[in-house]
Amino acid sequence: MLITLANYTDAQAQVKYSGSVTVQGLSQEVKIYFDQYGVPHIYAQSEKDTYFALGYIHAQERLAQLELYRRLGSGRFAEMVGKVGLATDKMVRTVGITENAKRSAKLLREGPQTRFKTMLEAYLAGVNTFVDTGKMPLEFEIMGIKKEKFTLEDIYAVTGFLSFQLALGFRSEMTIHQIRQKLGDKYLKDLNYRFGIPLTPANRAGLQKGVIQPKGFRGQAPLKSNGQRSLRKNTITKQLAANIQAIPGVPTWLGSNAWVLSGKKTKKGRVIFCNDAHLGVGQPGFWYEVHLNYPGENLYGYVHALNPTFILGHNSHASFGNTSLLVDDMDFYQEQYQPQSRYKIKQDNQWVNLTLRQETIKVKGGEEVKLLVKCTQRGPIINDVLPALTKEDQPVSMFWVYNKFPNTFLKSSYDLSLAKTPQEAQKAASQLVSPSFNMMYGDKNGNIAWFASARLIKRQPGINSKFLLDGTNTRNEPLGYYEFSKNPKSINPKSGYVATANNQPDKVDGQMFPGYYVAGVRQQRFMDLFNTKKKWSNQDLQDLFMDDTSPLFVKISKEVLEVLKDDPVLSKSVNHRYATQLLRKWDGSHGLKAQAPVVFTKLLYYLIKNTMQDELGEQLFKELMPNPGFMNEVLSRTYPTLFFKDKSIWWNDVTTNEGSESRKDIFAKSYDQTVQELTKQLPKTNNWRWGKVHQVTYINFTQDKRFTVGPFAMSGSMDVINKFGFALTNNAVYQISDQPSQRMLVDFSDREKRSWGILPVGNSGHPKSIFYQDQAKMYNKGKMRRQLTNKKEIQRSSSLLLLKVK
């Protein structure tokens, strides 16, 4: 029978929001109240029963999503989608995600019966109980998936997959190597590729003017060591984005904002905690919102596929969350094979055996694929999973901090969710190895804190980790890791606030630590707003989530207009003059009806294109530009300063025979192309409205249009607090690829009445559920709904589902 949404109710599983279900595995009855937004409030008599119930309803609402992430994390995507999933599976198995999951699960099974272990096993039992007894969702029918139970290995594999998404060295370091190989070090001088821009008091004014360089760079040639080599001229990052970072319908972890104000900065004199995580667009969304109540705990927050621990949320004493720290936790090494052999490499003038691992990948509709993974003591050789690195005598290996330790992500986030003091939060943060997070904290006693959480590599002096290193010499390997006490942190600062937005953190042991940090534009906006005498209310901070003003974009606009003030291009036509007028009056906002951002965003594309594409070539230029699933942080750190430089090697257009072009020449050409293209795409200037060109559509991984939600016109943009990412092109419409995946505000003046949140679409993964897209209009308008934690209030507006003991 053809499965359609019309007969979905009869043919496939539906979410049960009321009544009762008798299940095996509980010790006592559990009550689950579903509120008017489909958020489950689980009331149980033990932590074990609570997490069993969470697993059961998580599977009931999101089983297809759980299955998808299990397949991705365990290198079994091809079993679902056929040959098109092979590249992803090979990558996942080669880089070590599956092996780490096996080791971590084995350690947990063989270890003592801790509270954490009991919790994780209970969640898993709840998921599998639904797999055994529930009906499968529509996606299983569409994809031809057979149900099977989940394992601890699956749980650890999913968090490994997410960690790899945040290992940005795979996106940017190869791009930097290609630029260096093609153009030489002189072209790297004006690229901020090694560090972010540290937002110290001395640098703030410079960033506001758009003219600073990070300390330790100063425009000199890149650092070198005698162990560094150049990478071959190959195209790598596009393949990586396609394999891992931009699978349609699979939200990618990309960034985030978080800010916590102490009582000295708020009107009611109490801590207010705010967090929004920036993730790729997909349907269902990444987060599942839930409330857990059992003796001693009252937890509210967000979990994700096959992870029952709260990444963002609050308990009765404190609130917690994070942003991506984006430290450099990967190094790449040029290895040397023994002549006539591919199983030994040179190391300190000796030939050392590689460790071999055979992987078998099943392919839907095809034959099994055998994959031989070769590993050095630093990590796997990655040539076989990157077609661009096919030259057999130039193997490249990858060192990744994540693979050097058991998975600690789950335990760290679990402990953080239970923290009641800054000291307990710091202890939880200290456990995290990878991915790297800025862990944020605030509590009802007035404490606020931020911890840079990751195992940071201690490297040899002179090593530039953004370049390929010589693997034949072990002196180029990491020396070890810094003690957590060396990690940057801030507890109850005098400023009265902590804020992070993926920017460069403070120094580590007196040194700038390399990473994939963004320029700090959003962070600077927070600092400008909070470094005032203003007292902030709950509503003020709700409104701040929607702040779409970019002082930087205004400064770039004014710089372009100033450089072109005597150039006839500004008044070349009626539309040229109109565009000029819009930019001159622009305050940097990106509302739905705003016109100036339509002009500026197109102009920004042409400014970057005309500055860099002639030197880079078309393919390398595309990799440097923002693309669906990721923003190359090298470019995001470079353009805020480059356009303010009167002299730069990048201004020369190498395709002309007229000698060296000037910045003014590039600006004039870009301005003219901007207006001409806009005139073609939107002939009537009253259609130059941001909402017409800035839109989002939520699709499901099956690509089935019946699951699609949208499109919606959206305010916000890239590099503003209300951040939306998109491919920066000359297209008529910018399709949003990443966005705030949730918004949360906790006001400790009254947590029960002043905790707020919102999801982009809805909490359910079932398209026939009333909670599938019920929050979309509120989200688009910047509104938030209350997060209920008071049982009496919950009972008044909720349906009740009983899980009974079998």
Side-chain angles (χ1 to χ4, degrees), residues 14 19 78 172 204 556 596 603 629 669 687:
Q14 289 295 289
S172 62
R204 289 171 193 159
I556 293 175
L603 176 61
K669 179 181 179 181
N687 286 328

Side-chain angles (χ1 to χ4, degrees), residues 122-151:
Y123 169 82
L124 185 62
V127 171
N128 285 330
T129 295
F130 183 83
V131 172
D132 280 340
T133 61
K135 293 182 179 180
M136 298 301 99
L138 179 59
E139 292 95 328
F140 277 61
E141 181 79 13
I142 294 172
M143 303 298 293
I145 304 169
K146 294 182 179 180
K147 66 178 183 179
E148 69 178 70
K149 290 188 175 183
F150 292 82
T151 66

Side-chain angles (χ1 to χ4, degrees), residues 628-642:
F630 72 95
M631 165 74 168
N632 192 308
E633 85 289 343
V634 176
L635 181 62
S636 78
R637 291 201 302 265
T638 295
Y639 81 79
T641 61
L642 179 60

Side-chain angles (χ1 to χ4, degrees), residues 710-760:
F712 300 110
M714 300 298 288
S715 60
S717 185
M718 58 183 180
D719 286 342
V720 297
I721 292 176
N722 189 26
K723 180 182 178 295
F724 289 87
F726 48 84
L728 189 59
T729 67
N730 64 343
N731 293 342
V733 176
Y734 304 112
Q735 291 291 347
I736 292 168
S737 56
D738 59 90
Q739 66 177 141
S741 60
Q742 52 71 238
R743 298 185 179 113
M744 179 183 73
L745 182 152
V746 182
D747 183 347
F748 282 100
S749 67
D750 191 336
R751 177 198 176 219
E752 288 189 349
K753 294 181 179 179
R754 297 191 178 95
S755 294
W756 300 81
I758 194 70
L759 293 171

Side-chain angles (χ1 to χ4, degrees), residues 21 84 212 429:
V21 180
V84 295
I212 73 166

Side-chain angles (χ1 to χ4, degrees), residues 155-421:
I155 289 177
Y156 280 113
V158 167
T159 56
F161 180 79
L162 297 175
S163 296
F164 189 70
Q165 287 185 325
L166 283 172
L168 303 192
F170 251 78
R171 308 183 200 181
S172 62
E173 289 190 18
M174 299 305 176
T175 303
I176 287 297
H177 283 297
Q178 292 174 85
I179 294 173
R180 190 185 193 209
Q181 176 68 21
K182 183 174 183 176
L183 302 175
D185 287 348
K186 59 185 179 180
Y187 274 90
L188 297 182
K189 289 193 301 180
D190 289 338
L191 297 183
N192 295 334
Y193 68 91
R194 191 161 185 241
F195 305 108
I197 298 175
L199 297 176
T200 62
N203 285 341
R204 289 171 193 159
L207 179 60
Q208 290 169 348
K209 295 178 182 177
V211 295
I212 73 166
Q213 291 276 10
K215 186 177 180 181
F217 189 90
R218 299 292 185 190
Q220 78 268 24
L223 295 172
K224 296 181 180 180
S225 74
N226 57 12
Q228 293 171 344
R229 300 180 177 183
S230 296
L231 187 65
R232 295 172 57 239
K233 298 178 182 179
N234 287 314
T235 302
I236 298 173
T237 54
K238 179 181 178 182
Q239 297 154 0
L240 289 161
N243 293 344
I244 299 295
Q245 276 82 19
I247 299 171
V250 180
T252 305
W253 208 318
L254 292 168
S256 304
N257 298 318
W259 62 97
V260 193
L261 274 60
S262 72
K264 67 186 292 185
K265 303 293 291 185
T266 64
K267 284 187 176 180
K268 290 186 176 295
R270 296 287 186 173
V271 167
I272 300 181
F273 182 103
C274 301
N275 203 171
D276 63 332
H278 301 160
L279 292 159
V281 171
Q283 179 62 357
F286 184 76
W287 302 111
Y288 185 59
E289 190 169 340
V290 64
H291 172 214
L292 308 181
N293 190 291
Y294 55 94
E297 296 297 341
N298 187 1
L299 294 170
Y300 193 110
Y302 305 86
V303 299
H304 66 73
L306 285 183
N307 181 358
T309 66
F310 288 83
I311 311 301
L312 318 163
H314 44 104
N315 58 47
S316 56
H317 292 78
S319 189
F320 49 88
N322 64 71
T323 67
S324 300
L325 177 57
L326 304 179
V327 299
D328 184 358
D329 61 357
M330 276 187 172
D331 288 341
F332 297 89
Y333 293 85
Q334 182 75 72
E335 308 290 354
Q336 182 179 336
Y337 280 135
Q338 185 182 41
Q340 288 77 49
S341 173
R342 295 293 178 266
Y343 303 104
K344 289 187 177 183
I345 57 168
K346 189 175 184 179
Q347 191 169 286
D348 295 338
N349 295 317
Q350 296 182 359
W351 299 108
V352 178
N353 288 324
L354 293 169
T355 301
L356 307 179
R357 184 175 78 248
Q358 183 75 49
E359 296 278 355
T360 301
I361 303 174
K362 296 180 180 180
V363 182
K364 181 180 180 180
E367 297 182 356
E368 293 182 346
V369 173
K370 301 292 184 181
L371 176 68
L372 182 64
V373 180
K374 305 175 184 177
C375 291
T376 71
Q377 69 179 29
R378 288 167 291 281
I381 290 176
I382 58 177
N383 298 60
D384 290 341
V385 295
L386 297 180
L389 291 177
T390 55
K391 195 168 183 179
E392 293 185 354
D393 62 350
Q394 293 187 357
V396 175
S397 66
M398 179 194 81
F399 174 97
W400 183 22
V401 172
Y402 179 85
N403 281 332
K404 302 305 177 181
F405 301 90
N407 185 311
T408 61
F409 179 56
L410 295 163
K411 180 62 163 56
S412 176
S413 57
Y414 172 72
D415 287 355
L416 183 64
S417 72
L418 301 177
K420 308 296 192 299
T421 66

